[in-house]
Every structure is written in C-alpha cells, then in structure tokens.
Amino acid sequence: MKPFKGSVLVVGATGRTGVWVVKRLQHHHIDFHLFVRSGEKALELFGPEVIDKLTIGSIEHPEEIKAAMGHAEAVICAIGGNVTDPKSPPPSAIDRDGVKRLALIAKESGVKYFVLISSLGVTKPDHPLNKYGQVLTMKLEGENEVRRLFSEPGYSYTILRPGGLIDGPPLNHALHFDTGDRISTGVIDRSDVAEAAVISLFTPEAHNLTFELIQAEQAKQSSISQYF
C-alpha cells in the first residue's frame, strides 16, 4: 500500500471529527492544509505550527474556497450544519450547497480525490433527523454531486456514512462496513471515521464507493483498511 503523496485540504478541520482527521493525517505523515472559519480556533486546537497551513474562509464563499484549493491534491470534507442552533445556516446552505460548491471548485482546481464524511440514513426521507431542516436529504444531495463530479476517469471519491458519532481513541474496535444504506443504527468513534477518511486516500478498495460504517465489539486493530 503506497502512502499518499501530496497535500490534503481539510475542510471543517476545527469540528470534532475534523480535529481527528488532522490528527490522523499527522499520524500517517501526510501533508495538510486547513480551510477554517476561525484561525484563532485552529491555532488553539493545533498549535502555532499550523499558522502557515491555514486559509480562513467560509464554505459559502467561492473565492475563499478557491484560495484554499491551491494547496491541495485531495480534499477531506468534514463539514456539517449545526441543526440545533437557529442562528446557524440551514442544512441546505452547508450540507447541500456548501458541499456542492466545494466539490465543483475542487474539481475545477485540479483536485483528483475527494473524501466526504456524510451520515448513516441519508436515503431514508422519513428518518427522524430529517425533522431538522431535512438534514439527511441535504447531505444526500451533496453526496450525489460528489459522485457525479468525481466518477469521471482520472478522478475518484470516497463517501463515508458513519453512525452516531462518539468520542474515543482510534483502532480500539472492530468495525462493520456496508454499502446500500442498509445499516439502520449504530455508533462509531470520530477517530475511526477520521482514520477511514485518511487511509481511503491510499486504499484502492475505497475508491469510487460509498460506505456505511459503525463499530462492533471492542478489539484492538493494527489497521482498518481491511474493512473496505
């Protein structure tokens, strides 16, 4: 398995899953750049050594996205609208339009590989989470644009649909991966979702596929690549 050569743009790096994405990129010695709304928060989380790896901006502003893309051979997108805060932009603005805008600009900028962290249950319109701004349906529309843009020859994508996100160290559980949105419920550590996102960059079995993932029994893992 060849390690990924090139820089990865992490979008949503200061979120709880995004922080783990950065940690796992560091673990695998993969170069990265961060597209964040708050440079202050990024420096607080990652330290002053990332100051040259930051582009400040919003997923809602194309020019700010373009400014960040100059650093990227791949993108890992870990954004998600805050459905519990009425002052935050709705899921349609972040999980649908934001992801669509990001994917389009990434492709126009020459990015070859796009990893999107989505959610379990996006194909189920009657899911209870859809009471909050149709968040899962909006995520599915974002997914569909990533698949459309990055299915062309010379490009590739991986879409991850984790179950309920919890906090714990990586590689401490066996995992269950599936396709077709057939897993109805389950949880997974954010750290393992981040690990799956990062290793998908250099795992051919992960490319051009969409996976649901939840954790199974507690069991130390040396790698999770076999689950793809």
Side-chain angles (χ1 to χ4, degrees), residues 6-14 22-23 25-26 29-39 42-43 46-57 64 67-73:
S7 186
V8 179
L9 181 66
V10 184
V11 184
T14 59
V22 176
K23 288 179 180 178
L25 286 166
Q26 291 172 321
H29 306 291
I30 296 172
D31 187 42
F32 61 87
H33 194 84
L34 310 179
F35 183 50
V36 297
R37 285 179 297 179
S38 169
L43 292 172
F46 305 117
E49 60 268 26
V50 302
I51 196 161
D52 295 329
K53 295 178 175 290
L54 297 178
T55 298
I56 313 301
E64 293 170 351
M69 283 296 166
H71 305 278
E73 281 75 39

Side-chain angles (χ1 to χ4, degrees), residues 39-107:
E40 186 178 344
K41 187 175 181 182
L43 292 172
E44 186 182 302
L45 287 167
F46 305 117
E49 60 268 26
V50 302
I51 196 161
D52 295 329
K53 295 178 175 290
L54 297 178
T55 298
I56 313 301
S58 167
I59 197 77
E60 297 180 272
H61 300 135
E63 293 306 317
E64 293 170 351
I65 298 173
K66 288 175 187 173
M69 283 296 166
H71 305 278
E73 281 75 39
V75 169
I76 296 178
C77 177
I79 63 171
N82 184 353
V83 296
T84 62
D85 182 0
K87 295 178 183 176
S88 292
S92 58
I94 304 299
D95 301 273
R96 181 189 65 193
D97 299 345
V99 169
K100 285 184 173 186
R101 189 177 299 114
L102 179 68
L104 180 61
I105 293 171
K107 190 173 182 189

Side-chain angles (χ1 to χ4, degrees), residues 163-166 185-189 213-216:
L165 295 169
I166 58 176
T185 188
V187 300
I188 187 167
D189 286 313
L213 54 161
I214 58 172
Q215 69 187 33

Side-chain angles (χ1 to χ4, degrees), residues 28 35 73 78 115 157 208 218:
H28 288 284
F35 183 50
E73 281 75 39
V115 183
Y157 69 87
N208 298 328
Q218 193 166 351

